[in-house]
Amino acid sequence: MTVSLPNNQDNLVDIILNTVDDPMMVTDGQGVIVRINRAFEDCFGWRTEEAIGQTPRILNSQKHDAIFFRHLWDSLKKDGFWEGNIWNRAKSGHEIETQCRIKAQLDHDGRALYYVSRMKVENIENSDVVRNHDALTGLPDQHLFIDRLEQAMIAVQRVKKSVALLQIGLDHFSTINEGLGYEIGDKLLNEISKRLHDCMRGSDTVARLGGDLFAMALQVASIDDGVIVAEKVLKSMQDTFKIDGKSLNMTASIGISLYPKDAEGAADLMKLADTAMHHAKKKGGNVFEFFAEDMNAKAKNRLEMETAIRQALSKREFMLYYQPKVSSKTEQIVGAEALIRWISPERGFMPPGAFIPIAEETGLIGEIGSWVLQEAARQNKAWQDAGLPPIRIAVNVAAPQFRAPDFIDHVLNALDNNDLSPKWLELEIVESMLMGDTEMTIEKLHQVRDIGCHLSIDDFGTGYSSLSYLTRFPITTLKIDRAFIKDLECDKTMAEISRAIIGMSQGLELEVVAEGAETDAHIQFLRENGCQTVQGFYYSKPVPADEFAVILAKGTLHKG
Ligand code: C2E
Ligand code: MG
Ligand code: MG
């Protein structure tokens, strides 16, 4: 894309811009980048031909909110000038604080023709950005990578996590260079670096070690996290690369070493990842291998589980069981929780804890979750149509399912398809889902309530989150976690906490349900302390739909 500046003195403009040591960027009146200087390329890792035609959003570090940018635009429009500190993000993901001055160049009518930004780099360590980046891809080089790896190793020590080091080697890359020339090879490496960059998360680093060798340093809570990223990298290569009108296919071999499990030092970790990568190559490429054999066994098991879950979905091996929620006063059934069950022909009974977390990590939870919504709604409507007392059925919602943009659509579909009134559907979420992206969360929770569904906090009391959210979010019910109920009799603190949660719910006019009530003593305590609803083995275990229908037809679960 060629862009003309006034007087067509393009070269002169470039020469002038390149005499400035600070990164500079020129955008047109619509905010499209038309020029950057060499200092910009060096600092942020974007090359001129990549940056031109894009918008300054390529520098967005997510550190500033919408209000910050609104002020910036307001003063540009009003005064034609803005100055302030701004955190930018380099192509490598590195965050750079700059002191930025933006000036608008206006036409006779006061409309902006160009915006010229000059950014003074504030954080000194960003000299790294200039020196220690690979010129071709803009990624950190080996030197900077080892530095970042060491930083990650220090960071995880405090929080008892691990670092997974992925060494990624392209399979048979030399055939591209030799067959099609270095220019094509370089362009392919650039495209690959972009795809690798898209595979990583905020705190991770991806680097080019040299030639066809890349590396990633990931802070991971469990080895599964390493597996997820390795799978993502392999998948990211699957789409054909289009370079200069040619379609190229590429695969990679990945070796993984873990800190502190495999080695204590960065250099050793690099060696072990390299050894593992060569094993992966020997296997024919397009695979990942851990250095440690036991990790390979675990990763294999995880991959097999993923395949098995996919099959279970297509072969309809999942079922819902229902556990009654009972009024502590009248012992009437006031609702039920739908709980997923998987009886696999190969693996036998699989408790939800054995497959829900894997389904969450692999994205399969979306499909499972919408099946659960549909099935619970279908069953509930069928019971109502059969003349059984109408009850509200609660469905567990997993965090990634809730975060998906089409979550509300799935809820609406389940209700519409089964002609079920929303008041008979309750969604159970856990406290941790209320933290983080709160604006989106609040909006969605309100949508759920606007539809007319109930909303409860599951496992309440275990999430260590601030209680202030109880007033901010439109919640209808708290479910006291089983851990508190279990130890009511032997642990005074647990009894006090349960009492406090019940009292607080009453104050906030929330319904309160005790989970895991198993004994006479539990029921007595809950009744005495004003807990309206109980759910637990005392009244009934979760049971298949046909058994639940029998219980529901009776309407109450009198004991003793
Ligand atoms: P949860 O939502 O807290 O469900 C309650 C769990 O406690 C259920 O385990 C239930 O069987 C068990 N339980 C109920 N009363 C008692 C009791 O008196 N004593 C004891 N020892 N246990 C009791 P389950 O069915 O194994 O489910 C475990 C977790 O798996 C659920 O915890 C929920 O987080 C998740 N889960 C279950 N079904 C689904 C689902 O359809 N979707 C999603 N996303 N998660 C689900
Ligand atoms: Mg639940
Ligand atoms: Mg629970």
Side-chain angles (χ1 to χ4, degrees):
M1 182 175 181
T2 40
V3 181
S4 299
L5 283 177
N7 306 329
N8 284 331
Q9 293 180 327
D10 284 319
N11 288 340
L12 186 58
V13 171
D14 280 340
I15 290 166
I16 296 168
L17 284 178
N18 286 337
T19 60
V20 182
D21 286 332
D22 295 327
M24 288 193 73
M25 169 176 71
V26 183
T27 67
D28 65 16
Q30 278 72 48
V32 175
I33 300 174
V34 293
R35 271 290 189 289
I36 59 172
N37 68 350
R38 206 165 287 146
F40 183 107
E41 287 188 327
D42 290 344
C43 182
F44 298 113
W46 288 98
R47 291 195 300 175
T48 301
E49 54 279 23
E50 296 175 298
I52 285 183
Q54 305 231 42
T55 71
R57 253 169 277 165
I58 57 173
L59 299 180
N60 193 341
S61 64
Q62 314 278 357
K63 282 201 173 194
H64 305 283
D65 57 14
I67 299 167
F68 175 89
F69 286 109
R70 205 164 54 233
H71 284 312
L72 186 156
W73 278 108
D74 284 348
S75 63
L76 269 181
K77 280 193 189 125
K78 199 161 107 305
D79 313 323
F81 184 72
W82 182 84
E83 181 167 17
N85 278 28
I86 190 160
W87 278 93
N88 288 319
R89 193 185 178 93
K91 190 179 171 191
S92 60
H94 200 100
E95 280 160 353
I96 301 164
E97 191 180 15
T98 61
Q99 197 187 43
C100 180
R101 296 158 67 97
I102 311 177
K103 196 159 174 12
Q105 207 196 344
L106 308 176
D107 66 9
H108 293 307
D109 299 317
R111 276 190 301 252
L113 284 174
Y114 296 103
Y115 296 102
V116 183
S117 313
R118 177 172 180 167
M119 294 162 261
K120 258 193 182 333
V121 175
E122 286 277 354
N123 35 352
I124 300 303
E125 81 262 23
N126 286 304
S127 51
D128 281 358
V129 174
V130 183
R131 284 190 283 111
N132 293 328
H133 280 72
D134 169 45
L136 176 65
T137 59
L139 295 177
D141 63 10
Q142 176 152 1
H143 181 81
L144 182 54
F145 180 72
I146 292 180
D147 197 50
R148 296 270 180 84
L149 177 61
E150 282 168 347
Q151 279 175 22
M153 287 156 68
I154 293 167
V156 298
Q157 280 166 6
R158 276 179 284 119
V159 286
K160 299 234 164 355
K161 282 190 180 177
S162 300
V163 176
L165 165 58
L166 275 60
Q167 182 167 305
I168 304 158
L170 305 177
D171 297 328
H172 313 295
F173 182 74
S174 54
T175 56
I176 304 270
N177 266 347
E178 284 157 19
L180 301 170
Y182 285 94
E183 202 179 323
I184 301 253
D186 280 359
K187 286 185 180 165
L188 180 58
L189 286 171
N190 232 320
E191 288 304 311
I192 288 170
S193 75
K194 280 186 203 147
R195 292 199 191 172
L196 292 179
H197 195 263
D198 289 344
C199 292
M200 63 169 210
R201 304 153 307 177
S203 59
D204 305 338
T205 300
V206 57
R208 181 169 173 231
L209 302 181
D212 60 357
L213 216 51
F214 294 83
M216 281 185 179
L218 321 169
Q219 294 184 29
V220 295
S222 75
I223 68 136
D224 287 349
D225 290 352
V227 174
I228 291 164
V229 177
E231 278 181 10
K232 228 173 160 183
V233 168
L234 295 180
K235 254 187 216 141
S236 77
M237 299 281 162
Q238 276 170 5
D239 287 339
T240 303
F241 292 89
K242 296 258 186 311
I243 311 280
D244 287 354
K246 292 192 169 52
S247 298
L248 305 176
N249 291 312
M250 190 37 68
T251 57
S253 298
I254 306 175
I256 311 174
S257 60
L258 297 168
Y259 168 85
K261 183 180 163 41
D262 297 337
E264 297 278 323
D268 288 341
L269 278 175
M270 301 277 287
K271 264 189 227 138
L272 301 183
D274 187 62
T275 308
M277 186 194 79
H278 283 98
H279 281 162
K281 291 225 180 229
K282 269 198 200 125
K283 285 195 163 173
N286 200 17
V287 284
F288 63 85
E289 276 282 304
F290 279 92
F291 173 75
E293 262 323 303
D294 55 335
M295 291 293 124
N296 282 326
K298 274 191 193 163
K300 189 161 161 263
N301 181 38
R302 200 183 160 288
L303 281 179
E304 285 170 359
M305 264 304 261
E306 189 183 332
T307 314
I309 297 170
R310 268 181 221 283
Q311 277 176 6
L313 269 166
S314 63
K315 291 188 186 159
R316 298 170 186 277
E317 288 168 8
F318 292 117
M319 308 167 58
L320 290 185
Y321 273 37
Y322 297 86
Q323 186 177 33
K325 294 184 184 177
V326 179
S327 154
S328 65
K329 253 194 222 147
T330 64
E331 299 195 312
Q332 243 165 354
I333 296 173
V334 292
E337 177 172 5
L339 293 154
I340 196 163
R341 295 292 177 261
W342 177 20
I343 298 153
S344 153
E346 291 88 29
R347 293 161 186 252
F349 177 80
M350 302 290 293
F355 65 91
I356 292 284
I358 295 179
E360 288 184 11
E361 287 160 5
T362 50
L364 290 167
I365 195 69
E367 213 177 316
I368 295 181
S370 48
W371 175 81
V372 172
L373 280 167
Q374 287 288 345
E375 175 56 16
R378 186 202 62 77
Q379 183 61 77
N380 201 1
K381 178 70 178 169
W383 283 329
Q384 291 181 4
D385 289 348
L388 294 170
I391 53 160
R392 191 161 60 234
I393 294 184
V395 164
N396 292 285
V397 176
Q401 180 190 1
F402 180 75
R403 276 199 303 267
D406 55 0
F407 171 67
I408 296 291
D409 293 338
H410 285 296
V411 175
L412 287 170
N413 280 343
L415 295 168
D416 287 351
N417 293 348
N418 298 289
D419 196 20
L420 181 74
S421 162
K423 67 178 176 188
W424 304 122
L425 177 64
E426 175 169 327
L427 303 178
E428 292 192 5
I429 61 172
V430 289
E431 281 172 285
S432 58
M433 286 156 66
L434 300 176
M435 294 186 280
D437 203 349
T438 39
E439 225 165 274
M440 182 278 276
T441 312
I442 293 179
E443 162 83 29
K444 264 198 192 165
L445 295 176
H446 278 288
Q447 282 176 317
V448 169
R449 292 291 295 128
D450 290 346
I451 294 169
C453 296
H454 280 238
L455 197 59
S456 52
I457 305 292
D458 205 354
D459 305 343
F460 183 77
T462 57
Y464 306 106
S465 59
S466 138
L467 291 180
S468 65
Y469 72 73
L470 289 178
T471 52
R472 282 191 288 126
F473 298 122
I475 299 153
T476 54
T477 309
L478 295 185
K479 296 188 74 180
I480 311 175
D481 191 68
R482 189 164 68 87
F484 300 109
I485 309 298
K486 185 167 62 94
D487 294 331
L488 276 180
E489 291 151 281
C490 54
D491 189 338
K492 263 175 79 181
T493 332
M494 295 301 178
E496 279 315 318
I497 293 175
S498 303
R499 235 192 295 270
I501 299 176
I502 296 168
M504 186 172 67
S505 314
Q506 286 165 346
L508 296 169
E509 296 183 352
L510 297 172
E511 188 196 1
V512 59
V513 179
E515 297 189 84
E518 291 188 359
T519 64
D520 279 322
H522 293 161
I523 300 294
Q524 202 182 334
F525 173 94
L526 292 165
R527 238 178 235 156
E528 277 168 9
N529 286 283
C531 179
Q532 308 139 331
T533 311
V534 293
Q535 178 185 344
F537 293 176
Y538 178 81
Y539 284 115
S540 170
K541 290 194 169 182
V543 293
D546 51 352
E547 275 181 52
F548 186 81
V550 176
I551 304 178
L552 185 58
K554 275 200 220 133
T556 50
L557 279 164
H558 281 308
K559 288 270 168 173

